[in-house]
Amino acid sequence: MEPLKATHDPEVPTINPPANVMCPALTTDTDPDPSDTDKTPAVGLLPGETVVREGKAAILFPSANEVFYNPVQEFNRDLTCAVITEFARDVLAQRGVKVVVPGEKERVVVSLSEEASEADAPAEEGEKMKNGAEEPAVTARVGEKCERGLRVLEGLAASGLRSVRFALEVPGLQSVTANDFSANAAGLIARNAQYNGVGHLLRASCRDASMLMYEMRAKKERYDVIDLDPYGSPACFLDAAVQAVSEGGLLCVTCTDMAVMAGNSGETCYSKYGSVSIKAKYCHEMALRIILHSLDQRAGVYQRYIQPLLCVSVDFYIRIFVRVFTGQATVKNSASKQALVYNCVGCGSFHLQRLGKRTTSGKNMKYSAATGPPVGPDCDHCGQRHQLGGPLWAEPIHNLPFVQKVLSAVSGNPSRFGTSKRIEGVLSMVTEELEDVPLYYAVDSLSSTIHCNTPPLLQFRSALLHAGHRVSLSHACKNGIKTDAPPAAIWDVMRCWEKANPVKREKLSQTSPAFKILSTEPSLEACFTVREDANPQSRKRHLTRFQENPQAFWGPKARAKASGGGVTTNLQDKRKKCQNKRKNQITDSSQLKNFPCKRFRQGSCSHGEKCCYSHDLQSTNEDNME
C-alpha cells in the first residue's frame, strides 16, 4: 500500500525540531517513513496536520498547539523507556518471562551456588526440566502483547507520544492506557495508536486522571507502572498514584514547577508538598528530596512506603522513579528518613536535623524522638542567622545497582535512543555520587562568600581528599561538590586557599560573612596538590553531562489551549521584548513610543497626543490579545 501523504496549509506553522545535536532522533515531515509502511494503517492526515517522529514513534499533531508537546523533553522520554525496560527485565524474570530488546546483545546470567559445582549445573538444570519444576521462559519482544507483562498507565498523555513509544520500544507489556482529560487529546491518542499500529497494546482514555487511579485501587486492578508528566505540579495526583500502583510497582513523576520547589515561594511549596523550600545553591537536589518526602508521606497513610530507583534534575524539571511497597513495620521508619535543613543566610553552610531516631537492639527496632537542633542561634562561621527548610527526604535518592543496569543497557546499545550520549553521561555521574550525603556545596558560591578567586575544581576536591574526607560531583549542578566534610573543614580549606590568593581585607565590612570567616585561622593545612582520584571517570572520558540550551525558548512551553490558540508568534515576540529590560535601559524618551500606553488601553490616559507612549490602536489591541 502506498504511504499516505499529508496536505499542508502553507499558512499553518509546523512543529520544528530542536537544532541541538543531542536530539538527532526527532524529525518533522509530512510523509511516513517508507520503512514503516508495514505498520502504517489507513489513517489519513487531516489538513494542516504534521507528523513528528521521535524514537520509533510517528505522531500526528494538529497545526495549532491544541495538545501539549515539548521536543526538548526527548531526554525525559528516552530515559523513561530505558528505566521501564530494566524494571520489566527484573520483574518479568520472576514471572518466567525473558525480555528481548532489539539491537542488544543477549545477556547471560550465571548464578553460582556454593554447594553445587560448575559441572553439576547442567545435570541439575536438566533434572528440574524433567520433573517439571521450572517452566521454559517466555520471550517478550517489543510491540508484542505479553499476557504476563506489565500494565502501564500514562495519566496525562496529551498526544500519546510517550505511550506510543512505550508500546513500540519497551518489551514485556500487557497493556498501555493513555489517559487525558481533554477530549481532543483522547481522540488524537486513538488516532496515533492506530497510525503506529499499536492498537492491540494501547488504549485511549478520556477521564480525570485522579478518578481513574482511585477506581483502580483494588489489588487486582492496580497498574505495574504509572507515569505522571503534568504541565506544572503533580501534587494533586500523588495521593491517587501511590494507591493505584501495584505491590513493588514503578511510579514515574515529573515536576516542572521548579520556581516553587527551588525556594521562590516556600509557602506554596508547603501547601502542595508539605515542605518549605528555601533559596540555596543546592535547591535542585532539595527539590528532588521534597517530592520524595511528599510521596513517602502520602504513601505512609496507606501503610505503604517508597524505594527510590533514580532521581535526576535535568534542564528545567526534575524526574523521579520510585518503587512502592506495602509494609506496616517498614512504614515506621519513615520519620527517621526525613530531615529539616538549617541553612545559613550568610555563608551557605547547612546542617540536617532528622525528624526521628531509630536504633537497633538485636532483632528489635526502637523508635524515639530526635534530639537537636544541630546549630546555635547564629552561624558558628559567619555569625549570620539560619533559615529552616524541609522536611525533606534524607536517605539515598538512587539505587546504584539498578542505575548501573540502566547505564550498561544504554551504553551497550547506543543506537536505541537519540539522547543515549547524554543518558550515559548523566547516569555515570549518578553512579559516582556519594549516596549517603544529602545536598551539596557550590565552589563558586564558597569563593563568592569570601570574595576570592575560585579554586580549580580538581584542586578543591584534592584538598578535601588529602584531609581524609570523601567527595564527589553532583549531576544537579556543574560546580556542585558533595562531601562528608563538616562546614568547618570546608571553610578551613577556603581559608588556606585565600592565603595563597589574598583578598583586600581592608575593603571588607566588619559585619560581613567574609570578614568573620577570614578572621579565624584555619585549623588544618590544606594541600592543593591534584590527586589522581580527584578527577572522576565521567569527567576524564568527557561524557556529555551538562548540555547547552538545545534551542531558543527551550524551557517550559505555554499550556495547550482547547481553542487551538497555542503558542503564538506574538507571544514569542513579547517574550523577546521583555528580556533584558534592565540591561538595555531606554536613554532616549522617543523610544517609549514603541511601547503601548497602559492608561490609554484602560481608557484613563489624559495626556492625549502629548503622551510619551503609543496610542496606536492596532498595537494596543494586539497586546490585549496576547
mmCIF file of all heavy atoms in Angstrom, residues 47-76:
data_model
loop_
_atom_site.group_PDB
_atom_site.id
_atom_site.type_symbol
_atom_site.label_atom_id
_atom_site.label_comp_id
_atom_site.label_asym_id
_atom_site.label_seq_id
_atom_site.Cartn_x
_atom_site.Cartn_y
_atom_site.Cartn_z
ATOM 1 N N PRO A 47 -6.049 18.079 7.024
ATOM 2 C CA PRO A 47 -5.394 19.291 6.504
ATOM 3 C C PRO A 47 -4.706 20.069 7.620
ATOM 4 O O PRO A 47 -5.303 20.356 8.656
ATOM 5 C CB PRO A 47 -6.560 20.084 5.902
ATOM 6 C CG PRO A 47 -7.576 19.053 5.570
ATOM 7 C CD PRO A 47 -7.458 17.985 6.611
ATOM 8 N N GLY A 48 -3.441 20.389 7.377
ATOM 9 C CA GLY A 48 -2.678 21.168 8.347
ATOM 10 C C GLY A 48 -1.969 20.342 9.400
ATOM 11 O O GLY A 48 -1.212 20.881 10.196
ATOM 12 N N GLU A 49 -2.193 19.026 9.417
ATOM 13 C CA GLU A 49 -1.532 18.206 10.418
ATOM 14 C C GLU A 49 -0.077 17.953 10.051
ATOM 15 O O GLU A 49 0.303 18.004 8.884
ATOM 16 C CB GLU A 49 -2.252 16.864 10.586
ATOM 17 C CG GLU A 49 -3.429 16.915 11.528
ATOM 18 C CD GLU A 49 -3.936 15.540 11.886
ATOM 19 O OE1 GLU A 49 -3.748 14.617 11.077
ATOM 20 O OE2 GLU A 49 -4.533 15.388 12.970
ATOM 21 N N THR A 50 0.723 17.667 11.086
ATOM 22 C CA THR A 50 2.154 17.427 10.920
ATOM 23 C C THR A 50 2.510 16.102 11.569
ATOM 24 O O THR A 50 1.924 15.738 12.593
ATOM 25 C CB THR A 50 2.966 18.560 11.565
ATOM 26 O OG1 THR A 50 2.561 19.803 11.004
ATOM 27 C CG2 THR A 50 4.452 18.383 11.338
ATOM 28 N N VAL A 51 3.443 15.386 10.991
ATOM 29 C CA VAL A 51 3.958 14.146 11.588
ATOM 30 C C VAL A 51 5.279 14.450 12.281
ATOM 31 O O VAL A 51 6.204 14.971 11.665
ATOM 32 C CB VAL A 51 4.159 13.053 10.525
ATOM 33 C CG1 VAL A 51 4.749 11.802 11.150
ATOM 34 C CG2 VAL A 51 2.835 12.732 9.853
ATOM 35 N N VAL A 52 5.343 14.161 13.550
ATOM 36 C CA VAL A 52 6.559 14.351 14.331
ATOM 37 C C VAL A 52 7.104 12.987 14.715
ATOM 38 O O VAL A 52 6.371 12.157 15.268
ATOM 39 C CB VAL A 52 6.295 15.193 15.602
ATOM 40 C CG1 VAL A 52 7.552 15.284 16.456
ATOM 41 C CG2 VAL A 52 5.824 16.585 15.214
ATOM 42 N N ARG A 53 8.362 12.754 14.406
ATOM 43 C CA ARG A 53 8.987 11.463 14.684
ATOM 44 C C ARG A 53 9.957 11.591 15.848
ATOM 45 O O ARG A 53 10.784 12.494 15.883
ATOM 46 C CB ARG A 53 9.712 10.937 13.447
ATOM 47 C CG ARG A 53 8.787 10.696 12.264
ATOM 48 C CD ARG A 53 9.508 10.055 11.096
ATOM 49 N NE ARG A 53 8.589 9.880 9.977
ATOM 50 C CZ ARG A 53 7.732 8.873 9.872
ATOM 51 N NH1 ARG A 53 7.698 7.937 10.813
ATOM 52 N NH2 ARG A 53 6.918 8.792 8.841
ATOM 53 N N GLU A 54 9.810 10.670 16.782
ATOM 54 C CA GLU A 54 10.723 10.603 17.916
ATOM 55 C C GLU A 54 10.876 9.140 18.298
ATOM 56 O O GLU A 54 9.890 8.445 18.515
ATOM 57 C CB GLU A 54 10.184 11.412 19.106
ATOM 58 C CG GLU A 54 11.148 11.466 20.274
ATOM 59 C CD GLU A 54 10.593 12.270 21.442
ATOM 60 O OE1 GLU A 54 10.502 13.512 21.336
ATOM 61 O OE2 GLU A 54 10.231 11.644 22.461
ATOM 62 N N GLY A 55 12.117 8.676 18.387
ATOM 63 C CA GLY A 55 12.325 7.265 18.616
ATOM 64 C C GLY A 55 11.743 6.466 17.464
ATOM 65 O O GLY A 55 11.987 6.748 16.291
ATOM 66 N N LYS A 56 10.917 5.465 17.779
ATOM 67 C CA LYS A 56 10.255 4.668 16.748
ATOM 68 C C LYS A 56 8.834 5.130 16.484
ATOM 69 O O LYS A 56 8.128 4.516 15.686
ATOM 70 C CB LYS A 56 10.243 3.194 17.168
ATOM 71 C CG LYS A 56 11.634 2.554 17.214
ATOM 72 C CD LYS A 56 11.534 1.080 17.512
ATOM 73 C CE LYS A 56 12.903 0.414 17.504
ATOM 74 N NZ LYS A 56 12.822 -1.040 17.798
ATOM 75 N N ALA A 57 8.408 6.179 17.147
ATOM 76 C CA ALA A 57 7.026 6.640 17.025
ATOM 77 C C ALA A 57 6.913 7.736 15.979
ATOM 78 O O ALA A 57 7.825 8.542 15.787
ATOM 79 C CB ALA A 57 6.519 7.153 18.370
ATOM 80 N N ALA A 58 5.779 7.755 15.302
ATOM 81 C CA ALA A 58 5.410 8.820 14.370
ATOM 82 C C ALA A 58 4.064 9.359 14.837
ATOM 83 O O ALA A 58 3.052 8.666 14.775
ATOM 84 C CB ALA A 58 5.321 8.294 12.944
ATOM 85 N N ILE A 59 4.072 10.592 15.324
ATOM 86 C CA ILE A 59 2.896 11.147 15.989
ATOM 87 C C ILE A 59 2.260 12.228 15.136
ATOM 88 O O ILE A 59 2.941 13.108 14.604
ATOM 89 C CB ILE A 59 3.285 11.733 17.363
ATOM 90 C CG1 ILE A 59 3.926 10.651 18.225
ATOM 91 C CG2 ILE A 59 2.072 12.306 18.078
ATOM 92 C CD1 ILE A 59 3.025 9.476 18.522
ATOM 93 N N LEU A 60 0.944 12.144 14.983
ATOM 94 C CA LEU A 60 0.177 13.168 14.291
ATOM 95 C C LEU A 60 -0.070 14.334 15.236
ATOM 96 O O LEU A 60 -0.510 14.141 16.365
ATOM 97 C CB LEU A 60 -1.164 12.604 13.819
ATOM 98 C CG LEU A 60 -1.115 11.328 12.968
ATOM 99 C CD1 LEU A 60 -2.536 10.866 12.664
ATOM 100 C CD2 LEU A 60 -0.335 11.557 11.698
ATOM 101 N N PHE A 61 0.223 15.542 14.756
ATOM 102 C CA PHE A 61 -0.005 16.731 15.565
ATOM 103 C C PHE A 61 -0.833 17.728 14.781
ATOM 104 O O PHE A 61 -0.606 17.946 13.586
ATOM 105 C CB PHE A 61 1.324 17.393 15.949
ATOM 106 C CG PHE A 61 1.873 16.906 17.250
ATOM 107 C CD1 PHE A 61 2.808 15.891 17.276
ATOM 108 C CD2 PHE A 61 1.442 17.448 18.447
ATOM 109 C CE1 PHE A 61 3.315 15.436 18.468
ATOM 110 C CE2 PHE A 61 1.941 16.997 19.651
ATOM 111 C CZ PHE A 61 2.884 15.990 19.663
ATOM 112 N N PRO A 62 -1.801 18.375 15.447
ATOM 113 C CA PRO A 62 -2.537 19.451 14.783
ATOM 114 C C PRO A 62 -1.627 20.647 14.576
ATOM 115 O O PRO A 62 -0.607 20.796 15.239
ATOM 116 C CB PRO A 62 -3.669 19.770 15.766
ATOM 117 C CG PRO A 62 -3.154 19.321 17.091
ATOM 118 C CD PRO A 62 -2.278 18.129 16.821
ATOM 119 N N SER A 63 -2.000 21.500 13.666
ATOM 120 C CA SER A 63 -1.152 22.660 13.352
ATOM 121 C C SER A 63 -1.052 23.585 14.547
ATOM 122 O O SER A 63 0.010 24.089 14.872
ATOM 123 C CB SER A 63 -1.735 23.416 12.159
ATOM 124 O OG SER A 63 -3.075 23.800 12.419
ATOM 125 N N ALA A 64 -2.169 23.842 15.205
ATOM 126 C CA ALA A 64 -2.142 24.679 16.397
ATOM 127 C C ALA A 64 -1.778 23.821 17.607
ATOM 128 O O ALA A 64 -1.866 22.595 17.573
ATOM 129 C CB ALA A 64 -3.517 25.333 16.612
ATOM 130 N N ASN A 65 -1.372 24.484 18.679
ATOM 131 C CA ASN A 65 -0.924 23.761 19.863
ATOM 132 C C ASN A 65 -2.120 23.348 20.708
ATOM 133 O O ASN A 65 -2.256 23.738 21.868
ATOM 134 C CB ASN A 65 0.035 24.644 20.679
ATOM 135 C CG ASN A 65 0.706 23.851 21.796
ATOM 136 O OD1 ASN A 65 0.839 22.644 21.702
ATOM 137 N ND2 ASN A 65 1.101 24.543 22.841
ATOM 138 N N GLU A 66 -3.023 22.554 20.120
ATOM 139 C CA GLU A 66 -4.184 22.095 20.859
ATOM 140 C C GLU A 66 -3.804 21.025 21.872
ATOM 141 O O GLU A 66 -4.509 20.809 22.848
ATOM 142 C CB GLU A 66 -5.232 21.539 19.887
ATOM 143 C CG GLU A 66 -5.755 22.580 18.911
ATOM 144 C CD GLU A 66 -6.706 21.962 17.907
ATOM 145 O OE1 GLU A 66 -7.022 20.773 18.058
ATOM 146 O OE2 GLU A 66 -7.122 22.660 16.979
ATOM 147 N N VAL A 67 -2.704 20.345 21.640
ATOM 148 C CA VAL A 67 -2.216 19.301 22.525
ATOM 149 C C VAL A 67 -0.772 19.623 22.888
ATOM 150 O O VAL A 67 0.026 19.975 22.017
ATOM 151 C CB VAL A 67 -2.303 17.911 21.857
ATOM 152 C CG1 VAL A 67 -1.769 16.835 22.792
ATOM 153 C CG2 VAL A 67 -3.744 17.609 21.479
ATOM 154 N N PHE A 68 -0.449 19.518 24.165
ATOM 155 C CA PHE A 68 0.870 19.938 24.639
ATOM 156 C C PHE A 68 1.963 19.010 24.111
ATOM 157 O O PHE A 68 1.834 17.802 24.123
ATOM 158 C CB PHE A 68 0.888 19.928 26.171
ATOM 159 C CG PHE A 68 2.167 20.432 26.745
ATOM 160 C CD1 PHE A 68 2.424 21.784 26.810
ATOM 161 C CD2 PHE A 68 3.133 19.554 27.209
ATOM 162 C CE1 PHE A 68 3.606 22.262 27.334
ATOM 163 C CE2 PHE A 68 4.315 20.019 27.730
ATOM 164 C CZ PHE A 68 4.551 21.374 27.797
ATOM 165 N N TYR A 69 3.052 19.621 23.661
ATOM 166 C CA TYR A 69 4.212 18.864 23.202
ATOM 167 C C TYR A 69 5.459 19.719 23.348
ATOM 168 O O TYR A 69 5.478 20.889 22.967
ATOM 169 C CB TYR A 69 4.055 18.448 21.733
ATOM 170 C CG TYR A 69 5.317 17.853 21.146
ATOM 171 C CD1 TYR A 69 5.790 16.618 21.570
ATOM 172 C CD2 TYR A 69 6.050 18.540 20.181
ATOM 173 C CE1 TYR A 69 6.953 16.079 21.039
ATOM 174 C CE2 TYR A 69 7.202 18.002 19.644
ATOM 175 C CZ TYR A 69 7.651 16.772 20.069
ATOM 176 O OH TYR A 69 8.800 16.239 19.556
ATOM 177 N N ASN A 70 6.520 19.143 23.933
ATOM 178 C CA ASN A 70 7.791 19.835 24.081
ATOM 179 C C ASN A 70 8.902 18.913 23.592
ATOM 180 O O ASN A 70 9.214 17.913 24.239
ATOM 181 C CB ASN A 70 8.029 20.229 25.534
ATOM 182 C CG ASN A 70 9.216 21.176 25.682
ATOM 183 O OD1 ASN A 70 9.966 21.389 24.733
ATOM 184 N ND2 ASN A 70 9.373 21.742 26.858
ATOM 185 N N PRO A 71 9.514 19.218 22.453
ATOM 186 C CA PRO A 71 10.536 18.315 21.910
ATOM 187 C C PRO A 71 11.786 18.229 22.760
ATOM 188 O O PRO A 71 12.534 17.260 22.664
ATOM 189 C CB PRO A 71 10.851 18.936 20.537
ATOM 190 C CG PRO A 71 10.439 20.369 20.657
ATOM 191 C CD PRO A 71 9.272 20.386 21.582
ATOM 192 N N VAL A 72 12.043 19.225 23.623
ATOM 193 C CA VAL A 72 13.244 19.204 24.450
ATOM 194 C C VAL A 72 13.207 18.049 25.452
ATOM 195 O O VAL A 72 14.247 17.559 25.881
ATOM 196 C CB VAL A 72 13.409 20.565 25.167
ATOM 197 C CG1 VAL A 72 14.625 20.561 26.076
ATOM 198 C CG2 VAL A 72 13.539 21.677 24.138
ATOM 199 N N GLN A 73 12.017 17.590 25.802
ATOM 200 C CA GLN A 73 11.910 16.512 26.775
ATOM 201 C C GLN A 73 12.080 15.129 26.153
ATOM 202 O O GLN A 73 11.662 14.127 26.742
ATOM 203 C CB GLN A 73 10.567 16.593 27.511
ATOM 204 C CG GLN A 73 10.503 17.737 28.496
ATOM 205 C CD GLN A 73 9.633 17.407 29.698
ATOM 206 O OE1 GLN A 73 9.498 16.267 30.103
ATOM 207 N NE2 GLN A 73 9.031 18.422 30.285
ATOM 208 N N GLU A 74 12.692 15.069 25.003
ATOM 209 C CA GLU A 74 13.004 13.761 24.433
ATOM 210 C C GLU A 74 13.918 12.982 25.377
ATOM 211 O O GLU A 74 13.802 11.759 25.504
ATOM 212 C CB GLU A 74 13.681 13.907 23.067
ATOM 213 C CG GLU A 74 14.003 12.567 22.417
ATOM 214 C CD GLU A 74 14.783 12.698 21.128
ATOM 215 O OE1 GLU A 74 15.130 13.839 20.762
ATOM 216 O OE2 GLU A 74 15.046 11.660 20.480
ATOM 217 N N PHE A 75 14.825 13.671 26.057
ATOM 218 C CA PHE A 75 15.695 13.010 27.038
ATOM 219 C C PHE A 75 14.866 12.354 28.130
ATOM 220 O O PHE A 75 15.149 11.215 28.549
ATOM 221 C CB PHE A 75 16.660 14.033 27.645
ATOM 222 C CG PHE A 75 17.483 13.493 28.778
ATOM 223 C CD1 PHE A 75 18.643 12.785 28.538
ATOM 224 C CD2 PHE A 75 17.088 13.691 30.094
ATOM 225 C CE1 PHE A 75 19.402 12.276 29.582
ATOM 226 C CE2 PHE A 75 17.831 13.196 31.141
ATOM 227 C CZ PHE A 75 18.994 12.484 30.891
ATOM 228 N N ASN A 76 13.844 13.047 28.587
ATOM 229 C CA ASN A 76 12.954 12.507 29.615
ATOM 230 C C ASN A 76 12.292 11.228 29.126
ATOM 231 O O ASN A 76 12.261 10.210 29.826
ATOM 232 C CB ASN A 76 11.907 13.573 29.964
ATOM 233 C CG ASN A 76 10.987 13.159 31.097
ATOM 234 O OD1 ASN A 76 10.824 11.987 31.409
ATOM 235 N ND2 ASN A 76 10.362 14.139 31.722
#
